[in-house]
């Protein structure tokens, strides 16, 4: 489901061909993932159901109640990393394989503790600016020496960065946490150089298993907090509706990688990869 014109392809000077993972899952691999999910869920189900019981009880009075698990993950980033290992089992860093190749000055929105920085530490052609609303995650990333500088804030509430200061704005599995996408894209357009790109790689609900809904929607999750939920089609529709005139949706693709979140037994997912370009001024 690609919508790339020849002219747009030529204008993406800093973006090479998307590196789609060469994943052809066989039945045995998929069976192992389902089995891994069942084992992990069996081990963690007491915590999950206790948290869910508390969450349902509290959200009757406060629909925006933040669950105990979410508060713990935000307060103690090392627990977040453990959760990421479980959700992206068996090879957690392979989730970043869906990212197209990029380089230059990169604003990483939702950098967390710097897991992507760690993965790309040998890439001297990438100059990250690390941006995240969670101060605990930023402190952990600094302490673990995954990055030496960082900025705390929200992309949809404005940033301190100068106009046209980045080649790439990257949302690596963080887009669903951004509340106001229209405002976020306006800010992305401001800080991007002409011809720069926004890269979004995010999990979405697998359409063949999802209930029919034509638009994305926000939900308060007991394990993720307030997030957006999309299928590929609703993601593309939503993004197209909230982009400012200065930005153009160049391509939207999906790839289903081999990790337990994508092959869980309740809400199977896939990974959407979107490329959005800032138009050059004639």
């Amino acid at each position: 489901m690609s919508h790339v014109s020849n002219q747009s392809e030529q204008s993406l000077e800093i973006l090479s061909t998307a590196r789609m993972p060469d994943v052809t899952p066989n039945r045995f691999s998929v069976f192992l993932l389902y089995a891994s999910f069942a084992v992990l869920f069996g081990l963690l189900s007491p915590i999950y159901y206790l948290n869910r019981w508390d969450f349902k009880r509290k959200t009757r009075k406060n629909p925006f109640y933040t669950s105990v698990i979410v508060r713990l993950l935000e307060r103690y980033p090392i627990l977040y990393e453990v959760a990421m290992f479980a959700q992206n089992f068996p090879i957690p860093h392979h989730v970043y394989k869906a990212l197209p190749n990029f380089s230059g000055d990169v604003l990483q929105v939702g950098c967390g503790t710097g897991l992507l920085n760690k993965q790309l530490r040998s890439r001297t052609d990438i100059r990250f600016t690390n941006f995240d609303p969670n101060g605990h995650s930023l402190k952990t990333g600094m302490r673990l020496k995954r990055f030496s500088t960082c900025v705390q804030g929200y992309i949809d509430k404005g940033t301190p960065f100068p106009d046209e200061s980045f080649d790439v704005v990257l949302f690596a599995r963080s887009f669903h946490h951004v509340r106001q996408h229209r405002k976020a894209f306006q800010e992305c357009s401001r800080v991007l150089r002409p011809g720069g790109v926004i890269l979004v790689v995010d999990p979405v609900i697998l359409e063949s298993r999802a209930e029919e809904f034509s638009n994305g929607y926000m939900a308060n999750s007991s394990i993720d907090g307030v997030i957006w939920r999309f299928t590929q089609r609703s993601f593309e529709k939503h993004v197209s509706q909230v982009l400012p005139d200065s930005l153009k949706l160049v391509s939207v693709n999906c790839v289903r990688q081999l990790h337990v979140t994508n092959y869980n037994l309740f809400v199977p997912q896939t990974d959407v990869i979107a490329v959005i370009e800032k138009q050059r001024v004639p």
Side-chain angles (χ1 to χ4, degrees):
M1 191 174 191
S2 180
H3 312 285
V4 187
S5 67
N6 291 333
Q7 182 178 3
S8 294
E9 287 180 327
Q10 293 172 0
S11 66
L12 297 179
E13 295 176 353
I14 63 169
L15 185 67
S16 66
T17 303
R19 298 176 300 162
M20 295 298 180
D22 184 15
V23 176
T24 307
N26 56 47
R27 291 184 179 181
F28 183 66
S29 298
V30 173
F31 170 78
L32 287 179
L33 283 172
Y34 284 137
S36 299
F37 175 80
V39 170
L40 287 169
F41 185 79
L43 292 172
L44 298 173
S45 59
I47 298 172
Y48 172 78
Y49 282 112
L50 279 173
N51 180 72
R52 188 177 180 184
W53 171 79
D54 175 74
F55 179 76
K56 285 189 172 182
R57 186 167 58 92
K58 297 290 180 59
T59 49
R60 293 192 186 104
K61 295 182 178 179
N62 176 16
F64 294 99
Y65 171 71
T66 303
S67 75
V68 175
I69 283 181
V70 172
R71 294 201 306 271
L72 285 173
L73 295 179
E74 290 178 348
R75 179 66 180 83
Y76 302 103
I78 203 69
L79 294 179
Y80 167 80
E81 295 207 5
V82 172
M84 290 302 97
F85 178 84
Q87 291 179 27
N88 300 317
F89 184 86
I91 308 177
H93 66 267
H94 275 192
V95 297
Y96 297 123
K97 276 194 169 185
L99 283 171
N101 193 25
F102 62 92
S103 61
D105 297 314
V106 180
L107 175 60
Q108 185 184 184
V109 180
C111 65
T113 58
L115 291 173
L116 180 59
N117 301 66
K118 177 182 177 182
Q119 179 66 19
L120 299 180
R121 58 185 176 272
S122 63
R123 290 285 302 274
T124 57
D125 58 332
I126 297 175
R127 297 173 294 279
F128 277 124
T129 295
N130 305 287
F131 189 67
D132 198 283
N134 190 329
H136 298 296
S137 293
L138 294 175
K139 289 178 182 177
T140 299
M142 295 279 284
R143 187 172 66 251
L144 295 175
K145 301 186 185 304
R146 291 174 181 165
F147 43 75
S148 57
T149 61
C150 58
V151 179
Q152 185 176 2
Y154 294 84
I155 189 66
D156 54 356
K157 295 182 180 180
T159 70
F161 308 118
D163 293 353
E164 300 183 0
S165 50
F166 297 103
D167 301 305
V168 179
V169 176
L170 174 65
F171 295 85
R173 309 183 74 80
S174 62
F175 186 77
H176 57 288
H177 289 288
V178 177
R179 301 284 183 91
Q180 302 182 74
H181 290 143
R182 188 183 300 275
K183 291 184 178 180
F185 281 132
Q186 289 171 349
E187 182 64 9
C188 290
S189 178
R190 184 186 69 80
V191 302
L192 267 178
R193 294 168 182 145
V197 294
I198 302 168
L199 303 180
V200 179
V201 175
D202 220 45
V204 297
I205 299 169
L206 194 66
E207 299 204 31
S208 62
R209 296 286 298 273
E211 295 180 3
E212 288 295 326
F213 61 93
S214 59
N215 297 298
Y217 64 94
M218 295 191 76
N220 190 8
S221 166
S222 64
I223 58 174
D224 283 326
V226 178
I227 57 171
W228 282 90
R229 287 177 174 158
F230 296 105
T231 62
Q232 179 183 352
R233 293 179 186 178
S234 60
F235 171 88
E236 183 172 356
K237 180 180 178 181
H238 172 78
V239 169
S240 298
Q241 290 173 340
V242 299
L243 284 179
D245 293 339
S246 57
L247 298 176
K248 178 182 179 182
L249 182 60
V250 175
S251 67
V252 179
N253 294 284
C254 275
V255 58
R256 196 178 185 198
Q257 299 187 86
L258 287 168
H259 54 81
V260 295
T261 298
N262 279 353
Y263 286 87
N264 74 77
L265 300 174
F266 303 124
V267 188
Q269 299 179 9
T270 186
D271 303 296
V272 68
I273 303 104
V275 179
I276 300 163
E277 179 191 6
K278 181 175 180 179
Q279 302 299 290
R280 297 178 185 273
V281 178

